[in-house]
Amino acid sequence: MDTSRLTRIDETSWQIEPSGAMRVPGIIYGDETLIRAMDDKVAEQTANVASLPGIVKGAYVMPDAHWGYGFPIGGVAAFDPNEGGVVSAGGVGFDVSCGVRTLLTGLTVPEVRRVQERLADALMSSIPAGVGSHSGITLQGREMDAMLRGGAAWAVEKGWGGAEDLARIEERGRMEGADPDCVSERAKKRQRREMGTLGSGNHYLEVQAVETLYDPDTAAVLGLAEGDVVVTIHCGSRGLGHQIGTEFLRDMLPAAAEAGIHLPDRELACAPIHSPIGERYLGAMRSAINCALANRQILGEFAREVFARFFPDHPLDLLYDVSHNTCKVETHTVDGRPRRLFVHRKGATRAFGPAHADLPEALRGVGQPVLIGGSMGTGSHILVGTGAGDKAFSSACHGAGRAMSRRAALKRWRGRQVVDELAERGILIRSPSMRGVAEEAPGAYKDVDQVVIAAERAGLARRVAHLRPLICVKG
Amino acid sequence: MSMAQREQSERGWALEPHDADVRVCGWGPTPEAAFEQAAVALTRVVTDAPLAARERVDVHCQAPDRELLLVDWLNAVIYEMAVGGLLFGDYSVRLRGDRLEASLWGEPVDRARHAPACEPKGATYTALSVGRDRQGRWTAGCVVDV
């Protein structure tokens, strides 16, 4: 990115001054290296977001950002419904509520190393991963609607997991305001056989070692100790969310025009929150959030079943489950006044600080866990929200962020080579597609350590632990 | 396909880089051919394997302009792939004003043989274009979220 267009605020904050149609500034977080590596399109898209009606304070960009469609991936923006604020399908994205959950195993690395190959194979055969995979679960009619209303709570009712899981999921496992009647039959049909599937691309299940603790006291509250093993699952709302994104992106184009909203980019398709289509989208999008929460709950239970075969005395307790692509109604203090805002996070994690009422009691002293996904080889991070200054409406980064296109990655690596090199480092990869592995090669991503350090320095969240992969089932 | 070959070929497809996703692009002597080739590119996002024409699916869509029609067309293909568990290798497109009718031929996903790499989630309006290039060929393309 050309930094001459930006005003540097401090070491890790840069501002796009309001100009033209922009109603608020754009704020980009990251160190100079990360900012320079970002595409100029990120700044362009941030300025476009800043021009939408009803936007509050600023259009924010996380340190892992890259250009997406409409909103940058890693973009955060809040809208006030009482000031003509909008809800944007492009501001949420296609994979609604794509997110991460981490489960504690209570196992040590040597215990897992003893069965690592067999465990990897068992996970590969039990976790439906990649295009064309199925879990054997078929949902339709009333049961589909019940899932869309109930989220992870529905999954627990059906026997996938226990009630204690729900406290450790955003929204306590069930997003209020979901309306399955707002979800098209096509979207439901697309989801019919996709519950309990991981998906493909950058979605994965990883068995990880807790390698470094940055804050042992907070780690202890989260249940993490050095040398422990955890399981992390990254996936979303599958075909249902994709179809909702597709349909509302299209339907919001004429809706924006009818509402007199100028769209600098068609991907910013949006509608006033208080409009029939805006409310329909919220009913559908919240249903998709529940779909993702239910999906991760089922996949977590599949992982538990596999681990129980090897370690029957080690139930996998849920540490936490976060979503990345959402629009949620939250109260934030703006200019000293609490306001109910519609906060869009697209490729960003909610990062409430300590004492926030929405956190489970056990975590209220430390802040919301922020689970940062890795890229097979480079590791993952666990952070917690700081609440400091309610920066970016309490948001943090969500992953490493890609540094290289899939095509460029394919030219540079072969899947088998990636698998072999990682195996030499003690990381076992299982995937239905070697091409998929090459496209997702660790080197195709930004340096996740640099991203989380920038997030910490910017005060968005603070580091608790670094995780190193042992096994990765890649979708 | 090299840039030179691409310049000279009457019809074809390409996958073009995007930070996280991929742009599919097709070209040919008519808009219909460009739409067909863009769909071939979409298939190649998923697999490099040869595909048999064992099953046929018909789709239709309608949109106020050709660019939106391209997005709807690719989304219709994505939908049929997802719902039917199919991969399509051959496409026949007919354009009538603002309406598209098409036939798709393919086969069920065979995970061992096709080794599908990733699943398209949806066609986007990013880098969306339908028009003629310098050689007078029709081109059609957009970024697909994967």
Side-chain angles (χ1 to χ4, degrees), chain A residues 24 119 190 425:
Chain A
V24 291
L119 180 61
R190 201 162 156 183
R425 292 169 46 199

Side-chain angles (χ1 to χ4, degrees), chain A residues 174-232:
Chain A
R174 180 180 177 273
M175 187 76 218
E176 291 286 341
D179 184 352
D181 289 343
C182 298
V183 178
S184 73
E185 285 307 312
R186 284 171 77 84
K188 291 176 184 176
K189 196 171 172 191
R190 201 162 156 183
Q191 190 61 22
R192 191 168 163 260
R193 296 179 64 202
E194 295 209 335
M195 293 309 295
T197 64
L198 196 59
S200 61
N202 63 352
H203 294 158
Y204 61 77
L205 179 148
E206 274 192 3
V207 179
Q208 303 161 323
V210 179
E211 189 168 60
T212 310
L213 295 182
Y214 301 103
D215 176 351
D217 293 339
T218 301
V221 174
L222 299 186
L224 299 167
E226 212 169 289
D228 276 2
V229 171
V230 300
V231 176
T232 295

Side-chain angles (χ1 to χ4, degrees), chain A residues 85-125:
Chain A
V86 295
V87 59
S88 168
V92 172
F94 285 90
D95 199 353
V96 179
S97 199
C98 177
V100 176
R101 69 166 38 196
T102 296
L103 301 117
L104 306 167
T105 68
L107 294 163
T108 63
V109 173
E111 287 174 301
V112 170
R113 285 278 187 221
R114 280 198 283 277
V115 296
Q116 192 175 359
E117 286 275 352
R118 288 190 295 132
L119 180 61
D121 293 338
L123 286 166
M124 182 62 195
S125 65

Side-chain angles (χ1 to χ4, degrees), chain A residues 348-416:
Chain A
T349 313
R350 188 162 79 180
F352 285 149
H356 198 285
D358 283 4
L359 294 177
E361 206 176 313
L363 302 180
R364 217 165 276 169
V366 295
Q368 176 172 337
V370 174
L371 310 173
I372 303 295
S375 49
M376 291 194 285
T378 49
S380 303
H381 285 263
I382 294 178
L383 296 83
V384 287
T386 63
D390 195 17
K391 277 200 172 179
F393 301 103
S394 293
S395 307
C397 49
H398 82 310
R402 283 194 81 99
M404 187 186 291
S405 75
R406 290 170 183 279
R407 303 308 293 171
L410 268 185
K411 283 181 186 160
R412 195 139 157 195
W413 293 285
R414 301 194 70 77
R416 176 48 56 189

Side-chain angles (χ1 to χ4, degrees), chain A residues 227-431:
Chain A
D228 276 2
V229 171
V230 300
V231 176
T232 295
I233 297 169
H234 175 219
C235 66
S237 53
R238 308 291 293 114
L240 182 122
H242 308 168
Q243 191 65 25
I244 287 170
T246 295
E247 291 170 2
F248 278 94
L249 204 60
R250 191 187 198 286
D251 292 349
M252 281 181 172
L253 273 179
E258 280 167 26
I261 300 168
H262 168 69
L263 297 178
D265 178 347
R266 283 193 279 204
E267 295 287 359
L268 286 175
C270 58
I273 293 161
H274 292 320
S275 68
I277 187 173
E279 285 167 8
R280 262 204 326 280
Y281 176 69
L282 288 168
M285 187 267 304
R286 289 163 178 162
S287 302
I289 289 176
N290 281 332
C291 179
L293 299 181
N295 195 37
R296 286 199 290 276
Q297 181 67 22
I298 294 170
L299 283 163
E301 197 59 15
F302 288 172
R304 283 171 169 156
E305 287 166 8
V306 173
F307 269 77
R309 283 184 237 156
F310 293 86
F311 308 103
D313 300 328
H314 287 265
L316 272 53
D317 293 334
L318 183 58
L319 190 164
Y320 208 63
D321 181 298
V322 300
S323 297
H324 297 147
N325 298 342
T326 58
C327 172
K328 291 186 176 177
V329 184
E330 296 167 10
T331 300
H332 292 274
T333 301
V334 182
D335 300 328
R337 184 165 64 92
R339 288 163 72 175
R340 293 292 279 171
L341 303 174
F342 285 66
V343 183
H344 293 63
R345 294 187 182 88
K346 182 179 182 181
T349 313
R350 188 162 79 180
F352 285 149
H356 198 285
D358 283 4
L359 294 177
E361 206 176 313
L363 302 180
R364 217 165 276 169
V366 295
Q368 176 172 337
V370 174
L371 310 173
I372 303 295
S375 49
M376 291 194 285
T378 49
S380 303
H381 285 263
I382 294 178
L383 296 83
V384 287
T386 63
D390 195 17
K391 277 200 172 179
F393 301 103
S394 293
S395 307
C397 49
H398 82 310
R402 283 194 81 99
M404 187 186 291
S405 75
R406 290 170 183 279
R407 303 308 293 171
L410 268 185
K411 283 181 186 160
R412 195 139 157 195
W413 293 285
R414 301 194 70 77
R416 176 48 56 189
Q417 166 206 356
V418 173
V419 169
D420 291 345
E421 284 176 7
L422 290 171
E424 280 176 22
R425 292 169 46 199
I427 305 165
L428 302 184
I429 307 299
R430 296 290 186 270
S431 174

Side-chain angles (χ1 to χ4, degrees), chain B residues 6-132:
Chain B
R6 180 174 166 172
E7 294 273 314
Q8 287 163 13
S9 68
E10 188 187 63
R11 73 176 64 209
W13 58 269
L15 298 177
E16 297 171 347
H18 175 270
D19 267 11
D21 300 308
V22 64
R23 183 174 189 267
V24 299
C25 179
W27 62 88
T30 61
E32 286 87 346
F35 273 49
E36 289 164 3
Q37 292 295 319
V40 173
L42 180 65
T43 297
R44 295 306 172 199
V45 169
V46 186
T47 182
D48 300 317
L51 295 162
R54 281 165 38 197
E55 294 189 25
R56 171 181 159 168
V57 175
D58 293 325
V59 303
H60 59 84
C61 27
Q62 199 162 6
D65 64 55
R66 276 213 171 129
E67 290 187 341
L68 292 180
L69 196 55
L70 175 71
V71 173
D72 281 5
W73 156 236
L74 295 175
N75 277 326
V77 176
I78 289 169
Y79 178 79
E80 295 299 336
M81 278 183 183
V83 169
L86 296 164
L87 288 169
F88 302 105
D90 285 307
Y91 301 90
S92 170
V93 169
R94 300 163 298 280
L95 293 174
R96 307 260 186 282
D98 62 356
R99 192 173 166 80
L100 174 148
E101 290 177 357
S103 300
L104 295 59
W105 289 269
E107 61 174 318
V109 175
D110 179 331
R111 282 157 57 79
R113 193 158 47 83
H114 299 136
C118 66
E119 180 182 38
K121 296 171 185 167
T124 78
Y125 303 127
T126 298
L128 168 61
S129 68
V130 177
R132 286 181 188 272

